[in-house]
Structure formats: structure tokens, C-alpha cells
Amino acid sequence: MLFNSIQFAIFLPIVFLLYWFVFDSFIKKSKNQLRLQNAFVVMASYVFYGWWDWRFLLLIAFTSFCSWGSGLLIAKAETRKKAKTWMWLNIVLNLGILALFKYYDFFASEFAELFNVSTVGLLLKVILPVGISFYTFQALSYSIDIYRGKIEPTKDIVAFFAFISFFPQLVAGPIERATNLLPQFLKKREFDYDNAIDGMRQILWGLFKKIVVADNCAVFVDHVFSNYTNETGSTLLLAAIFFTFQIYGDFSGYSDIAIGTAKLFGIKLMRNFNVPYFSRDIAEFWRRWHISLTTWFRDYVYIPLGGSRVSKAKVVRNTFIIFLVSGFWHGANWTFIAWGAYHAFLFLPLILTGKNRKYTNQVAEGRRLPTLKETGQMLLTFFLAVMGWIIFRAESIGQAWEYVRGMLQFGTLRACYRFFTLPEIRLTSLFVVIMLVIEWLQRDKQHGFEGIEKLYLLHNKYLRPILYALLLLLMMVFGGKHASFIYFQF
Amino acid sequence: MKRFLWAIVIGGIAFFVLCGAVEFYQSRVDNNYSYKYWYMENHRHEVVTLLLGDSYIENAINPGLMGKGTFNLARSSRWIYYDDKLLEKYIADMPNLKQVILGMGYKPPYFKSYHYPESESNEPEMNEHEKYMYEKFMHIRYDDNSNHWLGLYRGYIDPGTLIGNNLLCDSLGYERVDGQSVNWRLEHNVDSNVFHQKYAKEQVAEYTGYLKDMARLCHLHKVRFIVITPPCHDSYIVNVRQEGLDIIHGIIENVRSEYPIEYIDYLQDEEYRADSIYRNCSHLNSIGADIFALRVKKDFGL
């Protein structure tokens, strides 16, 4: 079930009303009230997830059960060594499932090609379960955190299943930590008006980024990337820039809808994006892009390897490991590994010179506009990100290389012609600019529509819902046609 | 909670009121579809020559030069389904109708959906914009499940049709396009993979079925059925393949085996080699539309 589908528009209000009116108010006096409400969350989440393919439910239930059981076994273990064994068993099991579904065919076909053997009977050709990379990492964090003594294991299997399967963030994150999300399922949630209204606004903002920005960019991007050999350099550059906004609008839009939806249920999810295209260097970009994944790798891979407090050779090794693994997490293709390696090369000079944490504050803090230097830094970082996205978007490394080569051949100004003659591109560019302006003005806020009730026209509490409705209508009318979310495939 | 639900209810009501306002506004704004519908409802009895097809006809034949009683009912990007349904709807009540002229371009038989990437990967679906416009303004539904509201609110409708006055055709249904597009040689390239699309065969078969039905209707009502393939510029023709030509000519022969059909292929005609008559490499501009209208008139003795 997609967030931007009619089904979800029906599903969400039903679940919301049942959650608060039946499983909260109506059965308030029951001692099992919390448990029943959590069971309802699990049920609703399984309906949401099973909408794609009910067979996926068996897998997520199995992963949840094993991780829950491993947590109890880790805590019960008499020695540290035994606890470690249980933790590793859970890691191997979860990563094994992930590898089987996501990476086996890739390695098998690479093996077949390397040794020139037939792939007949070698490939599994299984469907990749939606969001498997997201919930697997969430499940892993639980057992690792118990082993590290950061959290206590829960005996409440229903709460744990709700933690793994909570539908707003199940298929594309944010990848929640057990330390943040699980305790919220272990205590009673209270409905908070301001929080719910803020959640609705965040959903609206996420829909704008997804439906209006990303989906409109997708039309042009898909066309150019599938005909890149026939396109001129300036068209290819324009399409690469559009893809940069497409992937941001798509993924951060999804995150905003997820976080906003969770707020309606009294659940607070972690922030996943923090205006990454206003970063002044690549290190800052990575602190602001897909935060839940980058911090996951930082906490569970990078720091255990020694992080940056080791010899320079090991820092280089650790940096490459984290970026390559992060790239590979996105999918079984050399392009993702190359994308990771590309960012590792950009990141290395910063970490080796100790400048990787130079920009930890918000750009132009306390000012309306950035300085010339900051603007230059942001543009350079943006350009580096664009180059990376070409590798990410390409079908193969060869295609990425051809694309970049084509981009450097500025034979004609066809992109400019397109820009000025095609109304779709003009309109899409306008939407991108609107997104950037709002994000810039709201860069110290959690999302683009946070606190907008303080703006002039939105003071009036009766006018506000009407303006939101108007915005929703305009979004639907001006929305693009690309329905699915890019990150679902990961 | 009560306060929150009230806010949602007010927002919901506002949303539906706005949707109603859009519907109302749209019904008051003219466009080519609504005009052509109005014309056929009120003046069909006067029509002697009816032009059908897509942009290759709507922009490429000036009916004013083809003799009294010619009306251009063609519509840009439409699928032949709509031509068939329009003919079926009106032909019995068109006493003066002598001939129906249908445009069959080099590519259209393969593209039920005009979204190329979708056509290549998924089973082609009818263009939602067309569905919406034909359903709302010409009262022809594509299928029982189609709903123009879904098309509108899933972003399938060109926003331009919702906002402004889109009546671009003249009183005879001709949409005049002057000059040339900036990148006129480059746009609308022939996709060489067109014959190898996953659903190319199915689309050609579907196209042939509708064409045959139109031929049947014309035969039944003793009306000449004329099919033409409009001319294209050299920069387009260079990519045209014999394989493709054989397919479109095969479609005609298939229909001809059952019903009378007159056909002329102007695609590579020597008269249409000048740059100045093209809007882009596959569409004539207003100069070309005048020349082409007179040529068709002469060739078919209208």
C-alpha cells in the first residue's frame, strides 16, 4: 500500500479512529488495554505490508520472532561469551535472510560470469520483499543494543512486533533504534492535538515533495536516462540535476509522511533528512542525508571498527568499509558500490585533515541569506552530489561513465531549448524552486510546514484547513504520474 | 481529539467543495473537446466530410479548404478507440455524410498509451488524460470502470486544461499551428524499437479491430472510408523502417479483405520535402496543412 494511494487514504483514517476510539478510549479500563492497542498496530501494519504480497508477512514475522527471542537469550546468558554468541546468531540469521533475498542472485550471476558457467539452476529469482533492508537493520539494532547493555530486552512480544512492523516506517524507514521506538510501545500513548496537527502538516509537506516535485522530475529523468545516448550534454546535466531533486523529494517526502503519520498515533520517529542540499561539504551532506541509515552504520559498524580514533591507514579502511557497505545496502549492483566508493573518496580528505566536523551548525545561522563563500560551498557540494547520483541512477557503471562523458560534450544548448519550450520542465523547475525556498526559510525547523500557523494568512484557525485543502487539491492536480517510491526497492 | 477531528472535518469539507468548484469551473471553460462535441450535437446534419484521427490530422488538414461541410473531429494524442466510438455514435444521424477521412500515422498503431516508457515495460493502458477529457467533454467512456475523477486527482490531467481557456481550434475544428518548434528536427524521433515493444502485436491487433469496425460502419451507411498516412520530414523518414511500413500497409490490406477502404500513403511523398511546411519533424504546420488539405481534396476527388 503506497502512501500516495487511494487505499492508504481510506486505510489511515480507519486505523486512526479504531486506534484512539476503540483501542484506547473504549477499552480504557481493561488491564490489557496497551497490549490490545499494540496488537491492533501489528494487525494494521500487517494489512499494510501484506497489501503488496501476503507471503512477505511470514518473513517479517519470522525475523521479528527470532530477534525478540535472541534478545531474551542474550539477557539470560550466564557469560558474556554466550551473550555474544546469541547476538551473532541473530545477526547471521537476519543478514543471511537479507543476503538470500537481496544479494544471492547478484553474487551467483557474477560468479557465473567470472568462471564462465551457466546461470541455469544457479539463480533463485526470488522476489525482493519490500523494505527488507529497513526492518532487518531495525531488528539487528535491538539485539546489538541489548548485548551492549543499552536497553533491557522486552518480554512483551506484541510490543516488539509493533516495533518492527509499525506501518508508517516499515518499508522505507526511518530505520528506528530499539532505544527510541520500543519504549514508546511499552507505555501508554496520549493524543496530543498540537502534535497531531503538526503530523498532518508534515504529511502534507511530504506529499508535496513526493507527488509534485519528485513525480514531475521523474517524467523527464526517466525519458533522458533511457535515451541518454541520443541526448546532448546540457540535457544530460539537466536530467541529472532533476534526478538529484527527484530522489530527495521522493525519499525525504516518504520520511516526512512516515514521521507525520506516526505523530497521529502518538509516536515520535527520528528525523531522516535535514536539508542535505544546503550542506557546505560532503561530510555535512552525510550528516543530513538519510540520517537513520548513516547513524546506524556509524554506531554499529564504524565505531566498533575504531572510527577515526585509530591510525590513518585504519581510518582510510574504516571510511571505505562504511561507504562501500552503505552503497551495497541500497542494492545488489556495482553502481551502488561505485557510488559508495565515490563518496568515500570525497569524504577521505576531510576526515584525514580533521575537517569532517567543521560544519555542524545550520548554514547562515541567524541570517536570512548565505554569504558568497557559503553559496559557493553549497553549490560545489550539490554538484558533487549530482555526480554521485548519476552513478546511483545508472543501470551499470558503463552506463554511468557514458552518461558523464555525454554530459561533458556541450555540443548544443538543447537543454536550454527544452527548458524554455517545454511547459512541463518550466513547471517542474518552479516546483523545485518552491521546495528549495520553503526548505531554506524553514531550515532550522523539523519540516517545511512546521509552525506555519504563525504566518500572516494562516493565523485564522478556520482559514487554515481551507488553505490546506486547497494545497492538497493543487498537489493532486499538479502531481506527476510516477506512483511508487524509489527507496521501496531497497 | 474533538478539536482535531473538527479541523479534519472542516478541511475535508473544504476539499470536497473545492473539488466541486473545479468541476463547475471546468464545465464553463471551453476547449477543443467541448467545442467539437457541441458541433457534432448541433451541426452533424451539415457534415459532408468528417476528418478523424490525432494531431497528424487535427493540425495538418485545414477543413476550410476541403469544401463545404468538412469538419475536423480529430483530436491530438487520441487512441483510435475514440474515433470508432464517435463514428458509431453519430453516423446513423448524419444524412449528408459522404466520406470519413481517418489519419493513420507511422507510429500511432503501436501506442495505445502515449507514455513511452510505460508502453515499453507495462501492459499499455489508455492515456488517463484522454480518458478524462473524452469522458467529461464528449461523454464517451473508455470502460465501465473508468472514472474521470480518478484521472484528475491522480495527477494525470494536464493542468493547463483545468486552468485556462483551451479552445484552440477554429469553427471547423482545425487547430492552426504556425511556424516551427525551436528544436523541430529533434523532437518526435521515430523510436526504432517500436515494433519490438512487448505489447506491439496486441496493440496493432487492437488498432486493426477498431479500424475494421469503422470500415464496417461506413460500408453499412454507404459512406466512403478513406485512410491516409500524413507526410513527415526527412529527419523523421530517415528512421522509418520498411518493417514498420509493411505493418501499417498490412493493417490496411487486412481491413480491405472485408470492407471497402481507400488508402494513400503520403509519408514519403515528394511534395512534402520543404522545411518550411513542418511544425516539427512529424507534424505539418499551417502552411503544410493548407497544401495537404488541397492535395487530399484533389486525390480523392472531394
Side-chain angles (χ1 to χ4, degrees):
Chain A
M1 201 182 291
L2 298 169
F3 280 164
N4 51 338
S5 66
I6 304 267
Q7 291 93 324
F8 187 72
I10 297 166
F11 171 84
L12 182 61
I14 293 172
V15 173
F16 175 83
L17 292 173
L18 289 173
Y19 180 86
W20 287 114
F21 287 102
V22 177
F23 292 95
D24 188 70
S25 309
F26 192 64
I27 51 169
K28 212 165 215 168
K29 285 170 190 163
S30 165
K31 61 177 181 179
N32 285 325
Q33 185 247 341
L34 184 62
R35 211 174 160 83
L36 284 168
Q37 200 181 38
N38 284 339
F40 176 68
V41 169
V42 176
M43 195 192 78
S45 300
Y46 276 38
V47 168
F48 175 86
Y49 193 57
W51 210 265
W52 275 283
D53 192 327
W54 64 269
R55 290 170 299 180
F56 296 165
L57 294 176
L58 301 173
L59 199 63
I60 193 173
F62 179 71
T63 300
S64 304
F65 183 77
C66 293
S67 299
W68 173 75
S70 76
L72 292 176
L73 291 167
I74 292 165
K76 270 188 188 172
E78 291 143 8
T79 63
R80 194 80 182 136
K81 199 177 167 187
K82 273 190 181 172
K84 196 174 186 175
T85 308
W86 285 120
M87 178 191 73
W88 273 108
L89 267 175
N90 188 49
I91 292 173
V92 168
L93 182 79
N94 275 298
L95 291 182
I97 293 171
L98 184 64
L100 187 74
F101 280 90
K102 193 167 178 175
Y103 300 106
Y104 172 81
D105 278 2
F106 170 73
F107 284 117
S109 55
E110 289 298 314
F111 171 84
E113 201 178 312
L114 191 66
F115 295 101
N116 204 20
V117 291
S118 166
T119 54
V120 178
L122 198 65
L123 302 182
L124 293 175
K125 290 182 180 169
V126 284
I127 316 165
L128 180 66
V130 182
I132 188 170
S133 306
F134 290 90
Y135 70 72
T136 299
F137 273 44
Q138 197 156 305
L140 288 178
S141 79
Y142 173 71
S143 53
I144 298 171
D145 283 349
I146 290 174
Y147 174 75
R148 289 178 176 177
K150 281 190 173 180
I151 49 165
E152 288 295 315
T154 179
K155 286 179 183 168
D156 187 344
I157 191 168
V158 180
F160 185 80
F161 270 56
F163 155 67
I164 295 290
S165 66
F166 186 46
F167 73 89
Q169 48 83 243
L170 171 59
V171 290
I175 302 167
E176 278 297 334
R177 307 295 177 79
T179 45
N180 175 44
L181 188 54
L182 186 56
Q184 296 187 63
F185 283 110
L186 295 170
K187 65 173 192 218
K188 189 173 161 20
R189 274 83 64 182
E190 296 291 343
F191 181 81
D192 179 74
Y193 172 80
D194 292 329
N195 201 31
I197 286 290
D198 186 54
M200 289 298 287
R201 284 183 196 142
Q202 194 160 1
I203 291 171
L204 205 58
W205 177 239
L207 284 172
F208 172 79
K209 287 199 280 187
K210 163 64 185 162
I211 298 174
V212 181
V213 176
D215 290 356
N216 277 309
C217 286
V219 177
F220 181 58
V221 171
D222 289 350
H223 177 78
V224 174
F225 270 83
S226 57
N227 297 289
Y228 69 99
T229 49
N230 299 325
E231 302 291 352
T232 57
S234 44
T235 306
L236 296 178
L237 176 63
L238 190 62
I241 292 171
F242 268 47
F243 180 67
T244 304
F245 289 117
Q246 183 198 342
I247 194 163
Y248 174 65
D250 194 286
F251 193 21
S252 73
Y254 183 93
S255 295
D256 277 329
I257 300 169
I259 296 165
T261 306
K263 282 177 183 170
L264 297 179
F265 295 90
I267 300 282
K268 191 175 183 327
L269 299 180
M270 72 179 292
R271 191 174 191 179
N272 216 13
F273 290 86
N274 185 4
V275 289
Y277 293 148
F278 298 144
S279 302
R280 286 154 288 184
D281 62 29
I282 280 294
E284 189 184 9
F285 174 81
W286 278 105
R287 276 193 298 278
R288 294 171 181 278
W289 179 273
H290 202 176
I291 299 164
S292 66
L293 181 73
T294 46
T295 53
W296 197 101
F297 278 119
R298 182 197 67 198
D299 294 347
Y300 298 109
V301 181
Y302 187 66
I303 291 173
L305 285 171
S308 56
R309 291 177 184 172
V310 283
S311 68
K312 287 206 167 171
K314 282 187 175 170
V315 169
V316 173
R317 181 202 66 182
N318 294 350
T319 303
F320 267 96
I321 287 175
I322 193 169
F323 275 104
L324 292 179
V325 170
S326 174
F328 203 47
W329 175 90
H330 286 85
N333 195 328
W334 289 109
T335 51
F336 296 121
I337 298 172
W339 174 72
Y342 167 79
H343 276 282
F345 277 115
L346 297 178
F347 192 80
L348 264 180
L350 296 172
I351 197 161
L352 290 175
T353 53
K355 289 179 180 169
N356 59 311
R357 296 196 65 79
K358 193 175 172 187
Y359 301 113
T360 50
N361 62 342
Q362 199 63 263
V363 65
E365 217 165 28
R367 282 176 284 129
R368 189 164 284 181
L369 293 170
T371 62
L372 206 60
K373 185 186 169 194
E374 285 168 338
T375 309
Q377 288 172 323
M378 284 191 288
L379 285 174
L380 178 64
T381 309
F382 179 78
F383 175 74
L384 294 173
V386 170
M387 298 303 284
W389 291 127
I390 293 171
I391 307 169
F392 188 93
R393 175 64 174 76
E395 303 282 326
S396 65
I397 292 176
Q399 187 191 355
W401 173 243
E402 286 300 316
Y403 192 99
V404 173
R405 261 172 46 130
M407 227 170 69
L408 297 173
Q409 293 164 3
F410 280 85
T412 72
L413 289 174
R414 190 170 162 211
C416 295
Y417 286 149
R418 276 179 185 273
F419 190 84
F420 290 113
T421 58
L422 295 181
E424 298 92 335
I425 292 183
R426 281 202 301 247
L427 203 60
T428 304
S429 306
L430 175 70
F431 295 140
V432 169
V433 170
I434 290 172
M435 178 181 78
L436 288 176
V437 168
I438 293 176
E439 292 232 313
W440 176 262
L441 296 173
Q442 295 280 86
R443 64 193 183 282
D444 56 341
K445 304 267 173 37
Q446 294 290 311
H447 59 88
F449 287 164
E450 188 185 330
I452 54 168
E453 73 275 13
K454 291 171 191 129
L455 294 176
Y456 174 65
L457 260 178
L458 298 167
H459 271 317
N460 188 310
K461 66 177 177 180
Y462 296 107
L463 196 59
R464 270 202 304 270
I466 296 168
L467 286 172
Y468 294 149
L470 181 65
L471 187 63
L472 187 63
L473 181 76
L474 289 175
M475 278 179 348
M476 287 171 151
V477 170
F478 287 97
K481 301 168 187 71
H482 194 91
S484 191
F485 288 86
I486 294 174
Y487 263 69
F488 278 11
Q489 62 188 294
F490 307 137
Chain B
M1 176 63 91
K2 204 182 266 181
R3 211 171 132 208
F4 177 74
L5 291 179
W6 266 118
I8 297 294
V9 167
I10 292 170
I13 292 170
F15 178 73
F16 286 110
V17 167
L18 286 168
C19 290
V22 168
E23 280 288 298
F24 180 72
Y25 175 74
Q26 275 216 284
S27 64
R28 316 285 290 182
V29 178
D30 284 331
N31 56 47
N32 286 14
Y33 297 89
S34 60
Y35 174 74
K36 290 184 181 193
Y37 177 74
W38 172 85
Y39 189 92
M40 290 304 287
E41 287 294 305
N42 295 286
H43 297 278
R44 62 180 175 276
H45 305 99
E46 300 156 22
V47 177
V48 176
T49 304
L50 186 67
L51 302 171
L52 287 168
D54 52 19
S55 56
Y56 293 119
I57 296 296
E58 186 177 35
N59 306 139
I61 294 187
N62 182 351
L65 299 174
M66 290 190 68
K68 203 176 168 206
T70 304
F71 184 69
N72 196 330
L73 187 57
R75 199 49 210 115
S76 182
S77 302
R78 71 85 188 93
W79 173 239
I80 192 173
Y81 167 84
Y82 290 107
D83 291 331
D84 185 33
K85 294 298 156 196
L86 284 169
L87 195 62
E88 187 181 308
K89 183 175 178 182
Y90 293 117
I91 195 166
D93 196 22
M94 295 178 79
N96 290 314
L97 186 66
K98 295 278 183 289
Q99 51 265 324
V100 168
I101 300 179
L102 174 78
M104 181 170 83
Y106 177 69
K107 279 191 300 181
Y110 310 96
F111 291 103
K112 180 178 181 177
S113 162
Y114 274 72
H115 305 299
Y116 288 38
E118 285 172 22
S119 304
E120 284 157 17
S121 53
N122 306 323
E123 189 171 353
E125 283 184 11
M126 189 60 208
N127 182 329
E128 291 285 340
H129 179 77
E130 294 311 301
K131 265 191 195 175
Y132 173 81
M133 299 307 278
Y134 273 98
E135 190 178 323
K136 181 156 178 61
F137 298 106
M138 299 187 103
H139 307 284
I140 296 177
R141 287 171 80 93
Y142 178 65
D143 56 49
D144 292 340
N145 299 322
S146 72
N147 181 329
H148 74 262
W149 274 84
L150 285 182
L152 175 62
Y153 297 111
R154 280 166 64 202
Y156 284 123
I157 310 306
D158 172 10
T161 60
L162 294 173
I163 297 164
N165 185 335
N166 282 279
L167 181 57
L168 303 171
C169 64
D170 66 13
S171 61
L172 297 176
Y174 165 57
E175 188 179 317
R176 182 188 176 91
V177 183
D178 294 319
Q180 284 170 331
S181 309
V182 178
N183 40 7
W184 70 280
R185 281 171 188 271
L186 301 166
E187 290 301 315
H188 306 287
N189 281 335
V190 183
D191 184 348
S192 57
N193 292 322
V194 65
F195 321 105
H196 304 296
Q197 279 188 92
K198 199 172 170 189
Y199 292 96
K201 268 188 183 170
E202 287 83 348
Q203 289 192 65
V204 168
E206 200 179 331
Y207 186 95
T208 309
Y210 289 126
L211 193 68
K212 204 173 271 185
D213 194 50
M214 291 174 76
R216 181 188 62 80
L217 286 167
C218 287
H219 182 59
L220 187 70
H221 294 278
K222 298 184 173 48
V223 171
R224 283 172 81 189
F225 186 47
I226 298 166
V227 177
I228 52 174
T229 297
C232 286
H233 186 258
D234 289 339
S235 57
Y236 183 96
I237 288 168
V238 77
N239 293 309
V240 164
R241 293 207 254 163
Q242 189 57 44
E243 186 187 358
L245 292 173
D246 290 346
I247 292 171
I248 59 169
H249 296 158
I251 293 172
I252 296 294
E253 289 312 314
N254 186 332
V255 176
R256 189 173 276 152
S257 66
E258 291 182 46
Y259 301 105
I261 183 169
E262 297 170 58
Y263 175 68
I264 294 184
D265 180 355
Y266 294 100
L267 188 72
Q268 304 180 58
D269 194 287
E270 281 308 310
E271 192 184 349
Y272 306 99
R273 303 281 56 93
D275 291 355
S276 59
I277 62 169
Y278 284 96
R279 167 165 64 108
N280 59 38
C281 62
S282 61
H283 291 80
L284 294 168
N285 60 19
S286 55
I287 302 170
D290 288 356
I291 297 169
F292 191 46
L294 293 170
R295 174 74 183 276
V296 171
K297 187 182 177 195
K298 182 179 146 231
D299 285 353
F300 290 98
L302 308 180

